[in-house]
Each structure stands twice: as C-alpha cells, then as structure tokens.
Amino acid sequence: MFRNTLTGAAAGALLLALGSSAAWSQTAPAAAPTAAAAEAPAPEGTADVAKLLAPQALPDVVLGDPNAKVTIIEYASMTCSHCRDFHSETWPTIKRDYVDTGKAKFILREFPFDPRALAAFMLARCAGDDKRTAMVDVLFDQQREWAGAENASVALLKIAQLSGMSQDQFKACLSNSDLQTKVVAVQAAGQNDFGVSATPTFFVNGDKYAGALSPEQMAAVIEKHL
C-alpha cells in the first residue's frame, strides 16, 4: 500500500512538478502474499453505505448495474503500484464474474498521492465519463512509462492523445484549477470521512479492506454479501 503524502503546495505546482522525475519519489513496499485459499479476509472496519454513496465533489462513474446487490468502492492513486497490480491481476476476473453479470457495481475514486497521480486523474476526467474508465486502464497499464519518467508531461500527453485529446486540451485540462480542487476534495473526503490513508482501499457494502486483494480474496468478500 502507499500512504498519502500529497500536499496542497505540491498540487498547486502541478504543471511544474510534471517536468521533474523528483516529483515521483515514492517506493512501493513489498506486496503482501495473497491467501492460497478462497477465504475472505476480515474487514478493518465499516462505513455507512449511504454516506459512502452520497454525492462527491466529482460524480462517480459507476460500472455495472446501479441496482446491484454489492457495491465496491476503490480509493486508488494512479502512481500506486499495488493499485496497478489490482487492476491488472484482480479486476479483470471480478469484472467478468461479478460486475458484468450484474451482481456487483464498481466505483473508482481519486486518492492521488503526488502531482503526477493528480494529473493522471485530471486527464482521465477530461477525457469524459464515457472514456474515463478506458483512460484509467491505459494509465495503469503504462504506469511504469509515465510515473517515473524524467518528464511526465511528455509521456502523459501521448496517453491523452489516444483518447482524442489535443495538446491544447491537454494543457487546458492540467491548468483547470476547479477540476484540480475537486479531485483533491474527493481524496480529502475519503481521508476525513472514511479513514482512507493508503491505497488501494476498498469498501465492499461498507466493509473496509486496505491493500490489493487477490481475485480469490475479493471474490470471497463479494460472496459474503450475495
């Protein structure tokens, strides 16, 4: 898991920070071993589902049936390697078996740790709700290429252009102070209202789990609520 280190000062210097690899200096701790058996880990706490689903500073992008019995909310940072691993190793299985079948709905919320993660989330929002999920997928897939690049702006521009964004739109997006404030507000709400301090953190029908869960672990957690 990554711990939150984003400060208001760092967020305010977003465009400048993207030009230096020093802006992304976190080192991920070793990943915890996953359970061999399909056993649901004990939750670290609970949160009121109604409060979790209350409107955020930015509208949630809901994947799956809005009326699904199980609600999965993930707080993630785009520069978090464990979030990347979850989205490459666990998410495809969960999407296929539970989200696409109408058993669960999935919501990804912004919890950026540094200016580069903040910029990536802003670009995903600027791509539009219909492209945001695909943009997030590409950003996670190519995380090693842009998160540690000497000049992240160049690497992120290439990804943004895949969504049809022009260079002028790219610059305008990253200069959008209102959007930046709202992304940080989503993070602040997760931290202050629900005790999120590391990523990824999941809430499954209100039960809180911190750390990347294996497909078997996440499936077992979901099954508890079906």
Side-chain angles (χ1 to χ4, degrees):
M1 294 179 289
F2 277 177
R3 299 287 174 180
N4 183 21
T5 59
L6 181 66
T7 65
L14 180 60
L15 287 169
L16 179 63
L18 288 178
S20 172
S21 59
W24 190 80
S25 58
Q26 297 188 74
T27 301
T34 56
E39 182 176 348
E44 298 184 8
T46 59
D48 182 84
V49 175
K51 291 182 179 179
L52 274 170
L53 292 176
Q56 302 291 302
L58 287 168
D60 286 328
V61 177
V62 180
L63 303 182
D65 184 350
N67 299 314
K69 188 174 182 180
V70 179
T71 299
I72 306 166
I73 297 175
E74 178 191 5
Y75 283 90
S77 179
M78 290 306 311
T79 51
C80 163
S81 62
H82 298 301
C83 302
R84 178 198 66 214
D85 292 344
F86 172 81
H87 279 266
S88 65
E89 299 170 9
T90 298
W91 167 240
T93 299
I94 299 306
K95 180 179 184 296
R96 180 195 68 204
D97 294 345
Y98 295 100
V99 176
D100 291 347
T101 58
K103 297 177 180 178
K105 61 178 177 288
F106 179 82
I107 296 167
L108 174 71
R109 286 185 182 160
E110 293 90 345
F111 203 86
F113 281 138
D114 50 64
R116 295 187 175 203
L118 175 59
F121 274 131
M122 289 173 66
L123 291 170
R125 287 286 183 172
C126 287
D129 287 353
D130 59 330
K131 296 181 180 178
R132 189 232 185 187
T133 299
M135 186 76 158
V136 166
D137 288 344
V138 173
L139 286 163
F140 274 131
D141 288 344
Q142 299 186 22
Q143 185 191 87
R144 292 179 180 88
E145 283 70 44
W146 63 266
E150 184 65 27
N151 190 324
S153 182
V154 173
L156 285 171
L157 174 59
K158 292 179 180 178
I159 295 174
Q161 288 173 330
L162 293 175
S163 71
M165 197 178 299
S166 69
Q167 187 168 357
D168 286 343
Q169 289 172 323
F170 172 84
K171 291 180 179 179
C173 177
L174 296 184
S175 300
N176 187 332
S177 59
D178 181 60
L179 176 58
Q180 177 177 326
T181 298
K182 289 178 179 178
V183 171
V184 174
V186 171
Q187 178 201 32
Q191 182 172 339
N192 298 330
D193 298 342
F194 307 116
V196 178
S197 61
T199 58
T201 292
F202 301 93
F203 291 91
V204 182
N205 279 13
D207 288 346
K208 180 182 178 182
Y209 302 88
L213 301 179
S214 69
E216 296 80 12
Q217 288 174 314
M218 180 60 83
V221 169
I222 295 170
E223 290 290 342
K224 286 174 52 180
H225 298 280
L226 291 176

